[in-house]
Amino acid sequence: MRGDAIRDVFISYNSEDRPFAERLANDLRSFGLGVWWDQWEMTVGDSLIEKIQDGISHSSWLAVVLSSHSVASPWVKRELGAAIAQEIGEERVFVLPLLVADCQIPPFLSDKLYADFRSSYSDGLQALLRRLESPIRPEVAELLLSESDTTVRSAFTRVPEAQQPRYRAFLFEKLASSEVEARLAAMFALASLRDPALGPRLLTMLDDPSTAVRRRLALNLGRLRSRENLRAIEVLMQDSNSAVRAAARAAFKDVTGSRP
């Protein structure tokens, strides 16, 4: 990142691609990157042009989401114009194309290698993270989210001690992911690492919309074997899903030594 930069990456996109942009912004932030995304930066009364120009000039990269919507968008064209001018003026790569759907790529981007999200979001994200040199190494993150006790512990022990808090924070970020698989994998990893902050965090997830997450939540509360969690376990014993109720009853037995 340049010395005066306050963000690692500015995300340029059309409103039709907002679900993708939101997912990307959250994922990049979970990997320790500073992200300029308009939904986080803009407030009522802001000058759109001034705010966006400032965001572009104070970011190390501009990632443009390419789709049929964005290539026809006047706002995206305006942002790209400012970014290309900055790229030429500073004589360095600044614009990173992200291809999310087949479209006619603008001529001034046609010679750039793009991160391809069309067939695999994960592959596109990995390529982008490597280019951005994220503080969280993608290959380590993949191992931590593998849902294998041995793999998780082995990967974490290879992380330098000074960097371990950063990876723990990454896992807690994933607990709030919109992706069920990410929440499950992060919960598994934190339980494998016996993270002391996991217990209190689990208590905030009793209303998770995913049955699979609530079931694993109950099992993990049982593994913690703390009577302070009995009230939460009892709440899960009243869950609408039978698998969650069964896991909660098993957790109750793990904590108390007797069946409910």
Side-chain angles (χ1 to χ4, degrees):
M1 186 188 295
R2 301 189 313 273
D4 62 346
I6 59 174
R7 295 291 188 274
D8 292 295
V9 58
F10 179 107
I11 299 178
S12 175
Y13 71 104
N14 179 262
S15 59
E16 295 290 333
D17 299 315
R18 179 173 172 176
F20 173 87
E22 181 173 12
R23 181 181 181 184
L24 180 67
N26 281 306
D27 281 340
L28 292 179
R29 185 169 66 176
S30 75
F31 275 84
L33 292 162
V35 180
W36 199 103
W37 182 47
D38 59 352
Q39 300 300 308
W40 293 339
E41 304 290 341
M42 305 291 288
T43 57
V44 175
D46 282 342
S47 165
L48 291 175
I49 295 176
E50 181 179 335
K51 195 80 173 183
I52 288 171
Q53 290 279 20
D54 185 67
I56 292 173
S57 64
H58 287 84
S59 295
S60 293
W61 306 90
L62 181 140
V64 57
V65 177
L66 295 177
S67 70
S68 58
H69 307 297
S70 65
V71 296
S73 166
W75 274 107
V76 172
K77 290 179 181 178
R78 181 192 295 269
E79 293 168 0
L80 267 178
I84 292 297
Q86 185 164 321
E87 183 170 276
I88 294 172
E90 297 183 6
E91 298 182 345
R92 69 179 184 89
V93 176
F94 179 57
V95 178
L96 304 176
L98 315 181
L99 191 59
V100 301
D102 292 331
C103 63
Q104 185 65 48
I105 298 177
F108 51 85
L109 295 179
S110 60
D111 66 336
K112 286 180 175 286
L113 185 65
Y114 49 79
D116 194 346
F117 288 82
R118 289 174 299 175
S119 59
S120 170
Y121 176 89
S122 177
D123 289 348
L125 178 62
Q126 298 297 312
L128 180 59
L129 289 170
R130 286 193 294 271
R131 188 62 167 112
L132 295 174
E133 298 180 348
S134 63
I136 300 295
R137 291 165 53 197
E139 63 273 18
V140 176
E142 184 178 2
L143 294 174
L144 290 176
L145 297 175
S146 66
E147 299 199 57
S148 162
D149 271 315
T150 302
T151 302
V152 169
R153 292 171 186 166
S154 176
F156 195 76
T157 57
R158 293 199 298 271
V159 174
E161 187 174 352
Q163 296 178 20
Q164 288 181 359
R166 177 183 294 165
Y167 282 85
R168 289 183 185 274
F170 162 77
L171 291 172
F172 276 105
E173 281 275 348
K174 287 299 180 184
L175 273 185
S177 170
S178 61
E179 302 297 313
V180 171
E181 294 79 6
R183 298 200 300 279
L184 286 169
M187 193 188 306
F188 185 98
L190 289 164
S192 294
L193 297 174
R194 307 280 198 275
D195 194 294
L198 178 60
R201 182 63 176 271
L202 293 179
L203 299 181
T204 70
M205 300 176 65
L206 297 177
D207 294 325
D208 193 281
S210 165
T211 297
V213 170
R214 296 197 308 278
R215 179 179 179 277
R216 182 166 294 177
L217 167 62
L219 294 173
N220 281 325
L221 288 173
R223 290 175 65 183
L224 292 174
R225 288 178 167 76
S226 170
R227 286 186 170 271
E228 293 180 357
N229 296 329
L230 280 176
R231 178 59 190 137
I233 292 172
E234 289 170 352
V235 169
L236 293 170
M237 286 167 57
Q238 306 302 317
D239 195 270
S240 59
N241 182 270
S242 59
V244 176
R245 295 197 301 271
R249 288 194 295 271
F252 186 93
K253 183 179 179 182
D254 288 338
V255 174
T256 66
S258 61
R259 293 189 176 278

